[in-house]
Amino acid sequence: MGLREKDVTSAIINCHTRALNNCLSSDVVIVGAGPSGLVAGSILAKKGYRITMFEKRLAPGGGIWGGGMGFKFIMVQEEAIEIVKDFGIPYERHDTSGLYAIDAIAFASGLIFGAVRSGVQIFNLVTVEDLVVRQGRVAGVVINNTFVHMNHFPIDPLTIEARAVVDATGHDHDVVRIFSQKNDVELNTPTGKPVGERSLFAESAEEAVVTNTKEVYPGLYVCGMSTAAVYGGYRMGPIFGGMLLSGKRLSMLLEEALGS
Ligand code: 48F
């Protein structure tokens, strides 16, 4: 059998179209493929929910890859190490700090592969630029190709319906920020608006990132670092236990909200 170039192209187009078609009506759309979103998506997909994730960059993994200032390790606390084990990611207890050291590349690739293997559909190079809002409830996302978005080309976006949408966009808190700017809405925050991220205080930040994992508006949830921007938490630097636990908490909230 001769290898035909057009068969390669045709297979790619068909597979991509099928994958995208299956996501048009998702249980949950997670915006941003950082650690918190990957953990939440993975747990929920394993339980049978249809999870779609959009990542604006080429590589999923968010703020993991560069470790701390480009030094190639990140740290995880004892409380979250079970999640690392669940993903089969290698770790090592650091003798003096009692923290667990993980190679950032193993951490990013392990979380990404774990999520994909669990059934999360990740689409990279797709930017979520707005939300679908219906009768006082977030009902989906508005997506465009990242290059279209970056170049401000006048090309209309497409939409994906979801029973719940998650802002897992990290420091940017893109989804909540855009939603709050464009609509006269009162968010479930102390000011009704995103409060803004504070400076660095690791202990407080790690706790708050979990407790502030919430539904911020009907149908719209926040997890990971975007909780700091939305609820006024501190930043924490290259310690990731809070991100993992935030993802886990989000999965529990969504399971409760969506039912089986
Ligand atoms: O920032 P990020 O890794 O999210 P996270 O789960 O984790 C935060 C940590 O990495 C780190 C930290 C831990 O100590 O402080 O920062 O909260 O990943 C967020 C992802 O969202 C993507 C972005 O490219 C990144 O990969 N993203 C941001 N805005 C959009 C988006 C958007 N509008 N559409 C699609 N993806």
Side-chain angles (χ1 to χ4, degrees):
M1 190 190 81
L3 176 65
R4 296 282 302 273
E5 293 82 357
K6 85 170 183 50
D7 292 339
V8 176
T9 305
S10 168
I12 289 173
I13 292 171
N14 285 335
C15 290
H16 187 86
T17 308
R18 191 173 59 219
L20 198 53
N21 249 320
N22 285 338
C23 295
L24 292 185
S25 202
S26 298
D27 287 321
V28 183
V29 164
I30 300 177
V31 187
S36 61
L38 288 166
V39 167
S42 182
I43 297 173
L44 289 165
K46 266 191 199 153
K47 296 191 169 181
Y49 294 95
R50 296 213 311 192
I51 310 299
T52 305
M53 185 175 275
F54 294 111
E55 169 52 54
K56 71 177 178 183
R57 294 191 194 138
L58 178 58
I64 299 173
W65 294 104
M69 207 188 80
F71 292 13
K72 70 189 228 82
F73 280 87
I74 59 94
M75 296 293 145
V76 167
Q77 312 85 313
E78 178 87 49
E79 302 90 286
I81 204 67
E82 279 306 313
I83 301 174
V84 175
K85 287 185 196 167
D86 288 346
F87 277 82
I89 297 168
Y91 60 89
E92 194 182 317
R93 194 174 160 85
H94 187 249
D95 36 355
T96 54
S97 63
L99 293 165
Y100 291 84
I102 305 177
D103 181 302
I105 293 172
F107 192 49
S109 56
L111 291 177
I112 297 163
F113 185 58
V116 172
R117 194 175 38 195
S118 302
V120 179
Q121 278 288 347
I122 306 180
F123 293 91
N124 59 344
L125 293 176
V126 176
T127 296
V128 170
E129 56 177 44
D130 207 341
L131 291 173
V132 179
V133 186
R134 217 179 273 140
Q135 284 144 359
R137 191 178 170 84
V138 170
V141 291
V142 177
I143 57 170
N144 218 326
N145 177 286
T146 290
F147 298 116
V148 168
H149 187 78
M150 281 167 68
N151 287 298
H152 305 290
F153 289 147
I155 301 179
D156 265 326
L158 294 175
T159 54
I160 304 287
E161 279 187 4
R163 295 167 69 201
V165 173
V166 179
D167 185 332
T169 65
H171 299 272
D172 298 349
H173 69 297
D174 248 27
V175 179
V176 175
R177 185 172 45 75
I178 292 167
F179 179 61
S180 172
Q181 276 166 1
K182 292 186 78 163
N183 300 280
D184 183 18
V185 286
E186 176 145 356
L187 304 175
N188 163 25
T189 67
T191 59
K193 301 274 169 212
V195 176
E197 184 185 298
R198 296 177 198 223
S199 295
L200 200 148
F201 176 8
E203 196 174 347
S204 166
E206 283 292 278
E207 202 183 310
V209 82
V210 183
T211 53
N212 286 331
T213 297
K214 289 183 193 168
E215 186 173 31
V216 66
Y217 190 82
L220 178 60
Y221 292 74
V222 282
C223 72
M225 208 54 211
S226 73
T227 63
V230 172
Y231 286 101
Y234 291 93
R235 64 186 303 199
M236 73 289 287
I239 177 130
F240 279 77
M243 295 302 138
L244 305 179
L245 294 168
S246 166
K248 187 172 177 186
R249 179 173 154 87
L250 177 74
S251 72
M252 295 190 298
L253 292 178
L254 284 171
E255 209 183 335
E256 211 177 284
L258 300 178
S260 47

